[in-house]
């Protein structure tokens, strides 16, 4: 099976919503990404720091980490502090909680050949605690009903349910670069019920490559997203508005377009990217050709440029104040606040239209202000 299960926990959100996508993605190479590589490095650092903090044997991976930086160091330290807090909490009611780090968890009882790795598992006093570290700063990951976490929990129960008297399962996502710590707690029996009624039958469909295709936000990380016919069909539905100008659409039509427009834009950009990569590999698209984009001139040797310009009597440098992020890195957070706290302002962000489910508070508009004045 290699390192990744066909029905992996990390892709479960997708295959539970769109069962045939699991087999469909098998035909695509795993290109990997810088984000994934950075996440792998961050996990290795977290594992090392946590083992060390708990007095376990551990080898420092830092010099082998391509993406290591001070931010990653801070994130890993924060994760360790968080887990140690959970352990301290557990010790209040349980003398010797069980702590497992990077534990292989097998949930194949419900999902054929299914397994994954839990970052940290803590068992104490009837509660199974699973913590998952996420280094991503792009997508906010919620623990609420998170299928990846539920699969890990089922794998952990498989190991420990008979030995310890577990009645509650608690799952936490620790995502420091989004300041996100999200916990979801569920009675064990409810988790088993979901496993038998929803997970097992859907996983069976996915393993066979059957079931219905279904589009949604889970398409984002699907390898087949550019040439998936179902996604094309869903996006083409908007074509029935015949690209009429906005004022000619009813409010209901505008709302329908709004609901789908982000998917449409991302789908269109996936198609362009797919076509470009195919053209670079030699495919000819009728009516299109591959050309060289514009490029900017650049120096071949910066030090030689500095020397030559200085020798001619000119100053080769531009002088400008460091940006807020670079200045924070230079001074450190505490010193930055001490020295510059009174000189920082945060202007109002640009108005953005988002769905009601977004957690940010609504802005007041001109009409709202007008209503208040009357």
């Amino acid at each position: 099976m290699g390192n990744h299960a066909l029905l992996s926990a990390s892709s479960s959100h997708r295959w539970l919503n769109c069962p045939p996508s699991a087999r469909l993605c098998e035909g695509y190479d795993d290109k990997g990404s810088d984000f994934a590589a950075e996440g792998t490095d961050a996990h290795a650092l977290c594992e090392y720091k946590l083992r060390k903090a708990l007095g376990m044997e551990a080898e420092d991976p830092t010099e082998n980490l391509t993406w290591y930086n001070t931010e990653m160091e801070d994130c890993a330290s924060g994760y360790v502090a968080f887990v140690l807090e959970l352990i301290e909490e557990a010790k209040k009611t349980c003398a010797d909680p069980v702590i497992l780090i990077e534990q292989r968890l097998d949930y194949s009882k419900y999902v054929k050949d299914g397994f994954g790795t839990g970052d940290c598992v803590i068992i104490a006093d009837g509660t199974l605690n699973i913590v998952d570290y996420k280094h991503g700063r792009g997508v906010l990951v919620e623990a609420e009903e998170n299928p990846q976490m539920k699969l890990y929990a089922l794998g952990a129960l498989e190991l420990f349910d008979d030995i310890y008297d577990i009645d509650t399962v608690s799952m936490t996502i620790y995502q420091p670069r989004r300041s996100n710590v999200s916990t979801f707690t569920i009675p064990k029996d409810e988790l088993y019920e979901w496993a038998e009624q929803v997970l097992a039958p859907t996983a069976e469909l996915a393993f066979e490559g059957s079931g219905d295709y279904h589009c949604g936000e889970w398409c984002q990380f699907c390898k087949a997203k550019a040439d998936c016919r179902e996604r094309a069909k869903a996006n083409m539905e908007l074509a029935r508005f015949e690209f009429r100008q906005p004022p000619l659409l009813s409010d209901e039509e505008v709302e329908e377009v709004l609901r789908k427009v982000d998917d449409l834009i991302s789908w269109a950009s996936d198609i362009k990217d797919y076509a470009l990569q195919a053209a670079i590999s030699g495919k000819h698209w009728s009516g299109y050709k591959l050309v060289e984009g514009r490029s900017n001139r650049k120096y071949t040797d910066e030090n030689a440029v500095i020397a030559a310009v200085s020798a001619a009597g000119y100053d080769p440098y531009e002088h400008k104040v460091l940006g807020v992020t670079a200045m924070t890195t230079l001074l450190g957070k505490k010193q930055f606040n001490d020295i510059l706290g009174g000189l920082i302002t945060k202007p109002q962000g640009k108005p953005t239209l988002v769905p009601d489910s977004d957690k940010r508070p609504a802005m007041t508009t001109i009409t709202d202000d007008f209503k208040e004045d009357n």
Side-chain angles (χ1 to χ4, degrees):
M1 283 298 299
N3 251 351
H4 281 284
L6 167 75
L7 302 180
S8 72
S10 54
S11 63
S12 57
H13 180 48
R14 189 189 70 241
W15 57 256
L16 280 165
N17 281 292
C18 178
S21 68
R23 288 287 178 199
L24 186 66
C25 288
E26 263 192 319
Y28 293 79
D29 294 335
D30 191 3
K31 290 199 179 77
S33 72
D34 287 353
F35 299 118
E38 188 182 19
T40 303
D41 279 4
H43 271 87
L45 188 62
C46 285
E47 179 186 1
Y48 162 69
K49 282 177 158 297
L50 184 53
R51 284 188 189 281
K52 205 167 156 224
L54 293 169
M56 297 177 180
E57 195 76 6
E59 200 173 314
D60 190 344
T62 312
E63 60 184 40
N64 301 318
L65 302 179
T66 315
W67 299 90
Y68 176 83
N69 57 19
T70 49
E71 184 190 27
M72 189 180 284
E73 178 74 33
D74 290 347
C75 289
S77 299
Y79 166 73
V80 171
F82 175 75
V83 172
L84 292 179
E85 249 174 69
L86 285 181
I87 294 169
E88 279 315 304
E89 198 55 41
K91 281 183 176 165
K92 287 179 185 169
T93 52
C94 170
D96 50 350
V98 178
I99 299 150
L100 299 165
I101 298 164
E102 291 296 312
Q103 171 68 39
R104 184 187 157 106
L105 300 170
D106 188 310
Y107 48 87
S108 56
K109 180 177 174 181
Y110 305 98
V111 177
K112 192 166 167 53
D113 299 331
F115 66 89
T117 306
D119 294 342
C120 183
V121 179
I122 304 165
I123 299 162
D125 199 39
T127 299
L128 167 73
N129 241 314
I130 296 208
V131 184
D132 195 48
Y133 177 88
K134 300 280 185 206
H135 197 62
R137 65 157 76 242
V139 179
L140 186 81
V141 186
E142 296 284 5
E144 183 85 16
E145 298 290 356
N146 183 311
Q148 178 181 9
M149 298 298 281
K150 286 171 155 181
L151 288 173
Y152 286 166
L154 288 165
L157 285 170
E158 199 57 33
L159 289 173
F160 299 109
D161 198 15
D162 294 342
I163 314 169
Y164 299 94
D165 200 10
I166 295 166
D167 50 39
T168 307
V169 178
S170 183
M171 305 165 240
T172 300
I173 300 277
Y174 185 85
Q175 189 181 19
R177 294 161 89 200
R178 288 294 303 262
S179 307
N180 171 36
V181 180
S182 152
T183 301
F184 175 59
T185 304
I186 184 174
K188 178 188 72 180
D189 297 345
E190 242 175 74
L191 183 62
Y192 278 149
E193 199 178 309
W194 173 79
E196 278 154 23
Q197 294 179 6
V198 179
L199 174 64
T202 312
E204 200 175 327
L205 289 175
F207 194 82
E208 290 164 358
S210 52
D212 295 329
Y213 285 98
H214 189 41
C215 293
E217 17 88 40
W218 49 86
C219 296
Q220 186 180 357
F221 297 112
C222 181
K223 291 179 196 164
K225 65 181 181 178
D227 34 8
C228 170
R229 192 162 291 283
E230 187 61 29
R231 193 167 173 234
K233 203 168 82 188
N235 282 296
M236 287 301 184
E237 274 182 18
L238 285 183
R240 70 176 190 280
F241 296 125
E242 297 161 339
F243 296 99
R244 275 175 284 161
Q245 289 303 302
L248 301 176
L249 297 170
S250 70
D251 286 0
E252 287 73 21
E253 286 173 329
V254 170
E255 282 159 7
E256 187 177 343
V257 173
L258 275 178
R259 270 200 303 278
K260 294 181 178 171
V261 77
D262 288 336
D263 289 338
L264 182 68
I265 292 165
S266 107
W267 174 70
S269 117
D270 289 337
I271 295 283
K272 279 181 79 170
D273 192 46
Y274 170 76
L276 172 65
Q277 294 311 324
I280 290 168
S281 305
K283 172 154 181 73
H284 175 70
W285 297 104
S286 173
Y288 286 84
K289 62 184 176 185
L290 205 56
V291 298
E292 200 177 299
R294 66 177 282 278
S295 88
N296 295 322
R297 297 172 299 164
K298 53 196 251 190
Y299 300 125
T300 51
D301 179 344
E302 228 171 62
N303 291 328
V305 169
I306 291 163
V309 174
S310 302
Y314 293 96
D315 176 4
Y317 296 100
E318 63 172 329
H319 296 274
K320 61 178 192 178
V321 180
L322 287 174
V324 173
T325 307
M327 194 73 85
T328 310
T329 306
L330 173 74
L331 301 174
K333 270 189 193 153
K334 185 181 179 330
Q335 219 174 308
F336 177 88
N337 290 333
D338 292 347
I339 299 170
L340 296 174
L343 295 169
I344 297 292
T345 178
K346 199 170 186 296
Q348 188 174 27
K350 200 172 114 198
T352 309
L353 199 58
V354 297
D356 280 335
S357 56
D358 192 283
K359 288 183 173 162
R360 286 168 290 185
M363 283 175 68
T364 54
T365 62
I366 295 163
T367 322
D368 296 332
D369 289 342
F370 183 71
K371 278 180 198 154
E372 277 169 27
D373 291 343
N374 281 295

